[in-house]
Amino acid sequence: MQEYKLRVNSLESFGSVDGPGVRFVVFLQGCRMRCRYCHNPETWSMDGGEEYSVDKLSEKVLKYRTYWGKDSSKGGVTVSGGEPLLQIKPLIAFVKNLKEKGVHTAIDTSGQPFCPDDEEFMSDFYELIKYVDLFILDIKQYDSDKHKSLTGFDNHNILRMAQFLSDNDKKMWIRHVLVPDLTDDERDMQSISDFISGLKSVERVEVLPYHSLGMFKWEKLGIPYSLKDTRSPDKDEMKKAKKILEEKM
């Protein structure tokens, strides 16, 4: 049997915002998107991080399971990134291993690698969703051109992934990062809200405020940061965005 290995950027043993309860968060290496507000640009390269066998990583993670018990509301394991779906075959092996031991599993993804016309990818994806309790999906923009300007890619496959998860009754949390003058247009947010209202398995919608705390990482890596003068949204802007995006939940 093939021994799968995961390329890991970092580990967080007590995450509190990456799914229900206390989470052990595995940040995988590699991402194709180049989001202008990314706070983890060090995860972009597929060559970085540290390589773990699925068994070694599972062993490390399971040392913390006493904090979760068997109650999924108390926590579990979230795989984030980078982009987890770029390592889909070892990811399947990892979450399957955890599910067989009764651990609540979540995948935090941008959805960009989703390729409904690729038979091999879809075969893997059907296998993956058997072992994932929750998908945390970013919807950064509804307008495809604006999405490409923001991330370097359009969003057609991302929206198709959200619809696929809905059609297959897979639980989702939807996240939207609110960036003043970039992702806060009311009509754009209303379009996202309308789209979400057509999905039947969304449990929660979260609006996250933009912050520049990751800017120093861009500077360290020698990558120009285009949002140096962009402020964080204020309370009223956050309240308005939440009202629009959560009103049909």
Side-chain angles (χ1 to χ4, degrees):
M1 182 180 294
Q2 181 176 356
E3 181 185 31
Y4 283 112
K5 295 182 178 181
L6 284 161
R7 178 68 64 175
V8 177
N9 177 268
S10 61
L11 303 169
E12 182 179 351
S13 55
F14 294 98
S16 60
V17 294
D18 301 282
V22 175
R23 316 292 297 182
F24 191 107
V25 188
V26 179
F27 294 93
L28 295 186
Q29 192 72 31
C31 186
R32 295 174 185 150
M33 297 176 80
R34 296 294 181 263
C35 301
R36 293 173 61 189
Y37 53 73
C38 179
H39 57 273
N40 290 320
E42 74 279 10
T43 67
W44 289 352
S45 172
M46 289 297 297
D47 298 324
E50 181 178 353
E51 198 171 65
Y52 284 82
S53 71
V54 166
D55 288 342
K56 180 182 176 182
L57 185 59
S58 299
E59 181 181 348
K60 189 176 187 69
V61 165
L62 289 168
K63 290 179 181 178
Y64 292 83
R65 74 170 305 166
T66 53
Y67 293 97
W68 323 317
K70 295 183 178 180
D71 184 349
S72 64
S73 68
K74 293 183 179 179
V77 177
T78 298
V79 185
S80 185
E83 174 48 65
L85 297 183
L86 290 179
Q87 301 187 56
I88 192 167
K89 291 185 185 295
L91 178 61
I92 292 168
F94 180 57
V95 294
K96 180 180 180 181
N97 195 350
L98 295 177
K99 280 311 297 176
E100 288 174 347
K101 295 174 175 60
V103 176
H104 182 276
T105 58
I107 303 291
D108 186 350
T109 174
S110 71
Q112 191 280 325
F114 184 75
C115 189
D117 301 319
D118 183 324
E119 290 185 8
E120 181 179 359
F121 177 87
M122 290 308 297
S123 176
D124 287 339
F125 198 74
Y126 272 109
E127 183 69 10
L128 176 68
I129 65 175
K130 294 178 184 178
Y131 312 112
V132 180
D133 296 298
L134 174 68
F135 282 86
I136 304 171
L137 179 63
D138 291 336
I139 297 185
K140 305 172 190 299
Q141 277 281 9
Y142 188 79
D143 180 274
S144 190
D145 290 336
K146 290 181 179 180
H147 192 278
K148 188 170 184 177
S149 176
L150 178 65
T151 71
F153 291 85
D154 66 38
N155 64 354
H156 296 307
N157 56 329
I158 295 169
L159 300 180
R160 289 179 73 179
M161 178 175 157
Q163 190 62 59
F164 178 90
L165 293 174
S166 174
D167 293 343
N168 285 273
D169 297 315
K170 297 306 299 183
K171 294 178 180 178
M172 280 182 280
W173 288 9
I174 301 293
R175 286 178 168 174
H176 178 73
V177 178
L178 191 69
V179 187
D181 302 320
L182 194 62
T183 68
D184 62 343
D185 183 89
E186 291 188 27
R187 289 171 297 180
D188 291 338
M189 289 191 291
Q190 188 60 58
S191 294
I192 295 174
S193 179
D194 291 342
F195 175 72
I196 292 172
S197 70
L199 303 174
K200 62 184 180 182
S201 58
V202 176
E203 292 189 327
R204 181 171 177 174
V205 176
E206 296 183 329
V207 181
L208 307 180
Y210 163 79
H211 60 74
S212 60
L213 298 179
M215 183 168 60
F216 77 95
K217 297 180 181 180
W218 290 64
E219 295 172 346
K220 184 177 180 180
L221 293 168
I223 307 171
Y225 189 73
S226 64
L227 303 180
K228 283 185 177 181
D229 298 323
T230 301
R231 59 179 176 80
S232 297
D234 60 32
K235 291 182 179 180
D236 289 339
E237 290 168 319
M238 287 293 294
K239 184 177 180 180
K240 181 190 295 184
K242 288 181 179 181
K243 183 176 187 300
I244 293 172
L245 290 167
E246 297 175 1
E247 66 179 351
K248 295 182 180 178
M249 283 298 296

